[in-house]
């Protein structure tokens, strides 16, 4: 038995909550993962896991061993990539998840520069706005905008995204141009709703000493940023977008800005990762690269 392979298998089972899901993310058979964990328990002469038909949980000994094993595996990764000479470059697969518009418009176009700097890192990129189970899906880090729903995650604020309110020319021709944000709650105006923000803008709009909370009716609500943008371009309602999403459509004239004399607090952008997982070099260099990238957005 390779003790490090066995530790990796055990850690993955704990984080995934099942042998089957752990095997999938490790690209091993379930039998191999089961055997590695059993061999580890036999070597340690303690029971590490309680197994039921629905869930796998750690025993008290297993919980203590998990905390130590996570640190040891991370230190081993640092040791292998931190030595002088040929092994200095961070390497391996890096699993990240981020909103689809950010991936398509900002991150993916800049990836040639990242891979030129770190050619031995292989990115497994999830592009979605869904809530990702970081531990269960073995994701190294996620990028998310707004307030983090899971306060237990470790996180680094990487940017503050400027926001604006926009509409397609066809929508304004049909519904008229609103003069005040409060009009968005009245007929004939409609917004495009984003699922996590309900039927309103999660950040208040301000003009001098005046403040307005934007709420409105909608004919479409979505949980995907690309679908949200497409709905606004199709004239289904008014949008609020970060600058990086609105900029090309403003230049093309397919979106027009509303309420230019009103200010919206910027949206924080975060990179988050499991709090009990020591960051390996490949994760740290990716986080630093994203911070550098977003500084120019």
């Amino acid at each position: 038995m390779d003790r490090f392979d066995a530790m990796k298998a055990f850690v993955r089972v704990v984080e995934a909550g099942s042998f089957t899901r752990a095997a999938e993310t490790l690209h091993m058979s379930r039998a191999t993962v089961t055997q590695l964990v059993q061999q580890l328990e036999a070597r340690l002469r303690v029971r590490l896991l309680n197994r039921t038909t629905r869930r796998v949980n750690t025993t008290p000994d297993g919980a203590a061993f998990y905390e130590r094993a996570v640190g040891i595996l991370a230190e081993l990764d640092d040791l292998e990539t931190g030595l002088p000479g040929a092994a200095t470059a961070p390497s391996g697969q890096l699993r990240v998840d981020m909103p689809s518009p950010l991936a398509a418009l900002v991150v993916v176009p800049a990836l040639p520069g990242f891979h030129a700097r770190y050619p031995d890192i292989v990115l497994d990129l999830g592009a979605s706005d869904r809530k990702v189970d970081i531990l269960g899906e073995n994701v190294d880090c996620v990028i998310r905008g707004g307030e983090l729903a899971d306060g237990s995650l470790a996180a680094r604020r990487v940017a503050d995204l400027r926001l604006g309110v926009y509409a397609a020319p066809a929508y304004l021709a049909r519904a008229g141009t609103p003069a005040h944000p409060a009009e968005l709650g009245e007929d004939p105006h409609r917004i495009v709703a984003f699922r996590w923000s309900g039927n309103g803008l999660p950040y208040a709009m301000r003009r001098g000493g005046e403040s307005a909370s934007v709420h409105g009716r909608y004919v479409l609500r979505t949980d995907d940023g690309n679908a949200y943008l497409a709905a606004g371009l199709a004239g289904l309602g008014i949008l609020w977008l970060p600058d990086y999403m609105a900029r090309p459509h403003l230049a093309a004239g397919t979106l027009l800005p509303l309420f230019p004399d009103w200010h919206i607090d910027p949206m924080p952008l975060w990179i988050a990762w499991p709090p009990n997982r020591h960051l390996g070099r490949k994760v740290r260099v990716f986080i630093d690269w994203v911070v550098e990238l977003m500084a120019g957005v």
Side-chain angles (χ1 to χ4, degrees):
M1 174 193 70
D2 184 295
R3 279 185 284 175
F4 289 112
D5 285 344
M7 276 197 291
K8 287 179 183 177
F10 167 71
V11 165
R12 199 73 286 284
V13 170
V14 172
E15 294 178 344
S18 79
F19 282 86
T20 300
R21 292 181 68 184
E24 290 172 353
T25 58
L26 288 170
H27 305 291
M28 296 179 178
S29 69
R30 188 184 188 281
T32 298
V33 173
T34 300
Q35 185 180 41
L36 284 169
V37 174
Q38 288 175 341
Q39 290 173 346
L40 182 62
E41 288 179 318
R43 177 182 177 83
L44 297 172
R45 298 182 182 179
V46 296
R47 189 174 186 84
L48 298 173
L49 298 171
N50 290 318
R51 301 155 174 86
T52 68
T53 55
R54 290 189 175 185
R55 185 76 182 173
V56 177
N57 296 305
T58 56
T59 64
D61 286 330
F65 187 80
Y66 169 79
E67 295 296 332
R68 295 292 301 276
V70 168
I72 290 170
L73 292 173
E75 288 176 9
L76 178 63
D77 179 68
D78 279 351
L79 177 62
E80 290 178 339
T81 59
L83 292 173
T88 55
S91 62
Q93 179 172 285
L94 177 63
R95 296 199 64 191
V96 301
D97 193 273
M98 65 187 67
S100 50
L102 184 71
L105 298 174
V106 179
V107 175
V108 172
L111 281 181
F114 177 81
H115 285 298
R117 193 183 303 180
Y118 305 109
D120 297 323
I121 294 179
V122 178
L123 274 178
D124 185 341
L125 173 62
S128 70
D129 290 287
R130 68 185 180 89
K131 184 179 179 180
V132 174
D133 179 358
I134 296 182
L135 288 174
E137 298 180 47
N138 197 27
V139 176
D140 293 293
C141 60
V142 298
I143 303 178
R144 287 292 179 264
E147 299 305 321
L148 290 176
D150 188 348
S152 68
L153 296 176
R156 178 177 175 184
R157 191 164 180 155
V158 298
D160 289 303
L161 300 178
R162 294 182 298 273
L163 297 170
V165 184
Y166 306 92
Y171 172 88
L172 297 176
R174 182 178 72 250
T177 301
H180 192 281
E183 294 180 33
L184 299 186
E186 303 170 357
D187 286 331
H189 288 294
R190 295 292 182 268
I191 66 167
V192 181
F194 202 80
R195 189 164 293 168
W196 63 263
S197 62
N199 66 334
L201 179 65
Y203 305 99
M205 300 181 67
R206 297 182 178 85
R207 182 177 61 180
E210 185 180 6
S211 178
S213 295
V214 178
H215 295 277
R217 301 176 183 179
Y218 59 87
V219 294
L220 174 70
R221 183 169 69 172
T222 181
D223 63 355
D224 177 79
N226 286 331
Y228 176 80
L229 175 60
L233 292 170
L236 287 174
I238 289 172
L239 305 168
W240 30 89
L241 297 170
D243 282 3
Y244 78 85
M245 289 180 67
R247 195 175 296 123
H249 300 285
L250 285 173
T254 50
L255 286 179
L256 298 174
L258 300 176
F259 318 121
D261 53 341
W262 287 76
H263 171 76
I264 306 175
D265 289 340
M267 176 190 293
L269 189 71
W270 305 88
I271 289 188
W273 59 89
N276 58 353
R277 185 178 294 172
H278 176 75
L279 290 180
R281 280 194 69 207
K282 62 185 178 183
V283 183
R284 294 200 302 270
V285 298
F286 179 75
I287 291 173
D288 290 341
W289 177 79
V290 170
V291 172
E292 178 184 324
L293 176 66
M294 294 308 300
V297 172

